[in-house]
Amino acid sequence: MPETDADPLAESTGYALRRAAMSMLGDLADRLAAIDCRISEVSVLLLVNKNKDITATQIARALEIKRANMVGLINRLESRGLIKKIPLDGKSQAIVLTPKGGRRSARALTITQQFEDDLIARVPAEHRNHLLPALRSLWL
Amino acid sequence: MPETDADPLAESTGYALRRAAMSMLGDLADRLAAIDCRISEVSVLLLVNKNKDITATQIARALEIKRANMVGLINRLESRGLIKKIPLDGKSQAIVLTPKGGRRSARALTITQQFEDDLIARVPAEHRNHLLPALRSLWL
DNA sequence: TATTGTTATACTCTATAACTATA
DNA sequence: TATAGTTATAGAGTATAACAATA
């Protein structure tokens, strides 16, 4: 059976970057299904946990999510009782974790840290310490 | 002005991988707009150019695209006169480049090779040779 | 029976434009 | 004037289930 010749994609760092990211995101999404959360939702929970009285706009800037797309994300977390909104003034509102959200955030942190350990363990030792700096150099 | 504390995301290889891939894909998509092609379309053109009489199902396997999602992709390329379908038997059909598709594929290759060079150039020299093998180890 | 191509459908993520109210 | 939150909308990628025709 003749295999397809994937060149020049096979030698492409860009293509490998996309495939590695897709693979990684699929794995992480599967693990986060255990706490009924999407990757984007967990990103918000962890960020809110670390930053008291952060606003939706600040979250959007930190995660490079468009403000318009924060609305559904925040509302979904709020409707599940994981976060609540607290008015800071007439215009801004802080996003804070509820007790339930705090517990969910803690579980999310456990899962993501284990995920991170497993991810790094798959990289051969001689390349391991180069990966994060290399990725950061591409992270405009 | 207090900045947001993005930890633990800031130290996460998984997060950096996602951000690097998103940044890279955005850059590439911008460059491919010059030849009015999406990234997925160019992937198909380059693959078809390298593999004579490849079928849509084989393309789908090589690029890890679901067969159902190949239909629109192939039809869009066909309606623009870049590829044509040639029956192999009553069930399978080869996807081949038209002359116009061949020229488009050549331009796509020039753009993607320049893109690749620019991408690699952004990685500090001491990490450069480690990136591709590290990514491949994560590419399940 | 398994495979190819296809239709239909749905969900996620991303993106822009424009509106309201407030700083 | 600029910013925060929001609405509406659209495009792109990805996913599954199911079907007809053919190997």
Side-chain angles (χ1 to χ4, degrees):
Chain A
M1 177 175 151
E3 265 311 309
T4 55
D5 177 8
D7 277 311
L9 294 179
E11 290 304 313
S12 162
T13 298
Y15 189 68
L17 178 54
R18 176 182 171 277
R19 292 291 289 259
M22 295 293 296
S23 170
M24 176 276 295
L25 290 170
D27 180 5
L28 180 55
D30 288 345
R31 297 189 191 208
L32 292 177
I35 57 170
D36 194 35
C37 280
R38 301 179 195 167
I39 295 172
S40 57
E41 292 168 346
V42 163
S43 302
V44 170
L45 289 180
L46 295 180
L47 191 61
V48 169
N49 190 51
K50 279 280 181 177
N51 294 273
K52 300 306 172 191
D53 285 355
I54 193 174
T55 66
T57 293
Q58 288 172 323
I59 296 171
R61 264 199 295 268
L63 299 179
E64 278 200 7
I65 296 172
K66 298 293 174 189
R67 277 200 320 280
N69 295 328
M70 289 297 302
V71 180
L73 187 47
I74 293 296
N75 287 344
R76 219 175 317 122
L77 291 171
E78 187 181 28
S79 70
R80 285 190 280 161
L82 299 175
I83 62 166
K84 59 183 173 184
K85 299 172 183 172
I86 297 179
L88 293 175
D89 55 34
K91 190 166 71 167
S92 300
Q93 54 198 9
I95 309 296
V96 300
L97 294 179
T98 62
K100 182 180 176 184
R103 292 189 295 273
R104 191 73 61 97
S105 174
R107 295 184 64 193
L109 188 58
T110 300
I111 292 173
T112 54
Q113 284 177 341
Q114 183 63 57
F115 168 77
E116 185 78 5
D117 290 345
D118 294 344
L119 185 77
I120 294 169
R122 285 165 53 198
V123 180
E126 68 266 34
H127 305 306
R128 197 168 292 153
N129 292 335
H130 296 279
L131 182 54
L132 188 53
L135 292 174
R136 282 191 174 138
S137 71
L138 300 178
W139 173 356
L140 280 175
Chain B
M1 176 177 153
E3 264 311 307
T4 55
D5 177 8
D7 277 311
L9 294 179
E11 290 303 314
S12 163
T13 298
Y15 189 68
L17 177 55
R18 177 183 173 276
R19 292 290 290 259
M22 295 293 296
S23 169
M24 176 276 295
L25 291 170
D27 180 4
L28 180 56
D30 288 344
R31 298 190 191 208
L32 292 177
I35 57 170
D36 194 34
C37 280
R38 301 178 195 168
I39 295 172
S40 58
E41 291 168 345
V42 163
S43 301
V44 170
L45 290 180
L46 295 180
L47 192 60
V48 169
N49 190 51
K50 279 281 181 178
N51 294 273
K52 301 306 171 190
D53 285 356
I54 193 173
T55 66
T57 293
Q58 288 173 323
I59 296 171
R61 265 199 294 268
L63 299 178
E64 280 200 6
I65 297 172
K66 298 294 174 189
R67 278 199 321 277
N69 295 327
M70 289 297 301
V71 180
L73 187 46
I74 293 296
N75 287 345
R76 220 176 315 122
L77 291 171
E78 188 181 27
S79 69
R80 285 188 281 162
L82 299 175
I83 62 166
K84 59 182 173 182
K85 299 171 183 171
I86 297 180
L88 293 176
D89 55 34
K91 189 167 71 168
S92 299
Q93 52 198 8
I95 308 296
V96 298
L97 295 180
T98 62
K100 182 180 176 184
R103 293 189 295 273
R104 192 72 63 96
S105 174
R107 294 184 65 192
L109 187 58
T110 301
I111 292 173
T112 54
Q113 283 177 341
Q114 183 64 56
F115 169 77
E116 185 77 6
D117 291 344
D118 294 344
L119 185 77
I120 294 168
R122 285 166 51 199
V123 180
E126 68 266 33
H127 305 306
R128 197 168 292 154
N129 292 336
H130 295 278
L131 182 54
L132 188 53
L135 291 174
R136 281 192 173 137
S137 72
L138 299 178
W139 172 357
L140 279 176

